[in-house]
């Protein structure tokens, strides 16, 4: 998928655990793991806003677009 989720980067910068982030955002650690590992098909804006609020960042700090490699066809 060309959208990459960089939650790990922000967690490391904030010295925060996945469990703590999940608790503070109000989602399950399993759902956060799905998002963090790039397996999510969608994310609610309310969840994205909560992540940004807790991590004190912008949506662009968590999500980025990566061009598909032309060799992938």
């Amino acid at each position: 998928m060309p959208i990459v989720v960089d939650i790990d980067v922000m967690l490391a910068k904030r010295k925060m655990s996945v469990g703590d982030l999940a608790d503070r955002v109000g989602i399950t650690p399993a759902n956060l793991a799905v998002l963090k590992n790039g397996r999510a098909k969608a994310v609610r804006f309310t969840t994205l806003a909560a992540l940004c609020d807790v991590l004190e960042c912008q949506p662009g700090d968590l999500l980025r677009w990566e061009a598909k490699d032309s060799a992938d066809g």
Side-chain angles (χ1 to χ4, degrees), residues 12-71:
K13 285 182 179 180
R14 303 296 186 252
K15 295 182 171 82
M16 188 180 297
S17 71
V18 173
D20 188 34
L21 178 60
D23 286 344
R24 292 176 63 182
V25 169
I27 61 176
T28 66
N31 283 341
L32 182 57
V34 167
L35 180 60
K36 184 176 77 74
N37 295 324
R39 295 189 315 262
K41 300 295 182 197
V43 60
R44 292 179 186 267
F45 282 152
T46 53
T47 301
L48 184 58
L51 287 166
C52 290
D53 183 42
V54 171
L55 293 170
E56 298 177 351
C57 67
Q58 294 294 313
D61 296 325
L62 301 177
L63 303 173
R64 64 185 160 88
W65 179 78
E66 246 181 35
K68 188 174 182 179
D69 187 357
S70 60

